[in-house]
């Protein structure tokens, strides 16, 4: 079963140096969806060690739960965030949401 459009929650504004949690979830898809996050249409790597785009940003991305946690945000984390839920039957994307730091 193809995933339905996931529900995404993105904080509107986060003070520099604070943590921020972004959530993405849908429960129609079967098999269970995995989640990937995008900032300004660029994919965020699940592993920050290999990501050149993250500008030393410290975040944890859990593809199984759809949770993206920034441990200490900085100005470079400002942007439009969206999430894609994917399974064997297809994928669905939530609307982009702005997060300001």
């Amino acid at each position: 079963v193809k995933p339905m459009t996931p529900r995404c929650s993105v904080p509107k504004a986060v003070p520099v140096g604070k943590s921020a949690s972004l959530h993405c979830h849908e429960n129609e898809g079967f098999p269970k969806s995995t989640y990937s996050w995008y900032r300004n249409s660029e994919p965020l790597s699940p592993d920050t060690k290999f990501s050149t785009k993250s500008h030393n940003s410290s975040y944890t991305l859990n593809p199984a739960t759809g949770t993206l946690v920034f441990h200490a945000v900085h100005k470079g984390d400002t942007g439009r965030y969206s999430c894609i839920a994917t399974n064997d039957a297809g994928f669905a994307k939530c609307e982009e949401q702005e997060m300001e730091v």
Side-chain angles (χ1 to χ4, degrees), residues 82-97:
S82 60
C83 163
I84 295 181
T86 308
N87 70 9
D88 295 341
F91 66 92
K93 180 175 188 266
C94 73
E95 284 291 307
E96 284 188 326
Q97 295 181 43

Side-chain angles (χ1 to χ4, degrees), residues 1-6 26 29-36 84-93:
V1 179
K2 187 175 174 297
M4 60 182 244
T5 304
E26 72 80 42
F30 185 85
K32 263 175 94 52
S33 296
T34 56
Y35 301 95
S36 46
I84 295 181
T86 308
N87 70 9
D88 295 341
F91 66 92
K93 180 175 188 266

Side-chain angles (χ1 to χ4, degrees), residues 6-57:
R7 282 191 308 281
C8 294
S9 64
V10 176
K12 294 268 180 278
V14 185
V16 171
K18 295 287 186 210
S19 66
S21 296
L22 288 66
H23 300 280
C24 178
H25 186 71
E26 72 80 42
N27 47 21
E28 297 294 308
F30 185 85
K32 263 175 94 52
S33 296
T34 56
Y35 301 95
S36 46
W37 279 95
Y38 292 78
R39 180 177 66 234
N40 303 330
S41 303
E42 294 279 347
L44 290 176
S45 167
D47 192 336
T48 47
K49 288 194 282 298
F50 300 115
S51 176
T52 53
K53 294 268 193 292
S54 65
H55 315 295
N56 303 328
S57 188

Side-chain angles (χ1 to χ4, degrees), residues 61-82:
L61 200 170
N62 185 328
T65 63
T67 304
L68 170 62
V69 178
F70 289 92
H71 306 294
V73 296
H74 56 81
K75 283 287 184 202
D77 296 320
T78 294
R80 295 182 320 279
Y81 286 82
S82 60

